[in-house]
Amino acid sequence: MENPLANTPLHDTHTALGGKMVPFAGYAMPVQYPAGIRAEHAAVRTAAGLFDVSHMGEFTVRGPQAEDLVQYLTVNDVSRVAVGQAQYSALCNERGTILDDLLVYRFADRIVLVVNASNRAKDWDWVTRHAAGHDVEISDDSDDIALIALQGPASQEILTPLAAVDLGAIGYYRFAEGYVAGVPATISRTGYTGEDGFELYLPAPAAPAVWNAVT
């Protein structure tokens, strides 16, 4: 028997909007809405589109040797990442084989690894096994965090009235902590569409309210 699909915190929102739900990385995810893929693509290229990427995994590393552990696990140079900056990198095994690509976020008191949903379990196993011997505390916070991506040339204009931070001051692959629609959020100028945009890391229960505020 196949394992049942997991739902993101926005599942009910997607179904109410008529989203066509399909299996993806163990989750029920909307592959398209009634307007169709062409219209959605055009919106992202000319204005903005909103994506639910809450299936992604988030691992938090804290402690005196947090940087040492992440430096050991990933291929990019974490020592060059400033507080408030994100870095694209990869997890590799001892032979240099890529296990996953990921984003590394440096906060003042922690480092957060954002991994792909399909690799979350094996990535967590790899990270925890190699954390032994390091003075760190690690946690898998994936189920507590929702991730919404607003992507497209109009993203900043749309998000500005809702954000209690200066979005113009957030550079590419930089982030700030603040509020969106009154909800505490990490606001990151990152994305995967090739357009300008923001990714919003939110408490999972607040995701529908923020989604509705943005739309």
Side-chain angles (χ1 to χ4, degrees):
M1 179 180 294
E2 294 184 1
N3 293 327
L5 295 175
N7 294 329
T8 75
L10 288 162
H11 180 270
D12 291 346
T13 302
H14 297 313
T15 57
L17 291 170
K20 180 181 179 181
M21 309 303 288
V22 300
F24 182 80
Y27 284 80
M29 300 296 292
V31 68
Q32 69 178 71
Y33 290 100
I37 293 174
R38 289 179 180 270
E40 294 172 16
H41 173 84
V44 173
R45 297 305 176 205
T46 61
L50 199 58
F51 300 80
D52 176 13
V53 278
S54 302
H55 58 302
M56 300 291 282
E58 292 87 14
F59 305 156
T60 301
V61 186
R62 290 183 169 88
Q65 293 187 307
E67 181 183 303
D68 293 341
L69 174 61
V70 178
Q71 187 80 303
Y72 176 76
L73 291 171
T74 63
V75 300
N76 217 330
D77 187 356
V78 179
S79 69
R80 299 180 62 182
V81 182
V83 172
Q85 186 176 5
Q87 181 186 71
Y88 182 68
S89 194
L91 286 174
C92 287
N93 64 20
E94 293 90 341
R95 298 182 301 277
T97 303
I98 293 176
L99 304 174
D100 199 4
D101 64 339
L102 76 163
L103 288 180
V104 176
Y105 286 84
R106 185 188 285 276
F107 294 78
D109 62 343
R110 65 196 186 279
I111 296 175
V112 175
L113 310 178
V114 181
V115 303
N116 287 288
S118 58
N119 295 321
R120 174 182 162 190
K122 73 174 184 180
D123 287 352
W124 177 248
D125 178 67
W126 186 256
V127 170
T128 54
R129 279 196 285 137
H130 288 85
H134 290 83
D135 187 5
V136 296
E137 295 180 4
I138 58 174
S139 58
D140 181 354
D141 301 317
S142 309
D143 293 336
D144 298 323
I145 297 173
L147 178 53
I148 297 173
L150 178 64
Q151 301 285 300
S155 296
Q156 182 170 321
E157 178 183 353
I158 292 169
L159 194 59
T160 292
L162 301 172
V165 299
D166 180 5
L167 299 179
I170 303 175
Y172 187 54
Y173 265 69
R174 300 296 194 275
F175 67 91
E177 295 179 88
Y179 289 83
V180 175
V183 174
T186 297
I187 305 163
S188 176
R189 199 161 207 146
T190 47
Y192 48 87
T193 62
E195 299 288 347
D196 189 21
F198 299 89
E199 293 182 305
L200 311 176
Y201 295 85
L202 310 157
V210 174
W211 179 282
N212 291 334
V214 173
T215 57

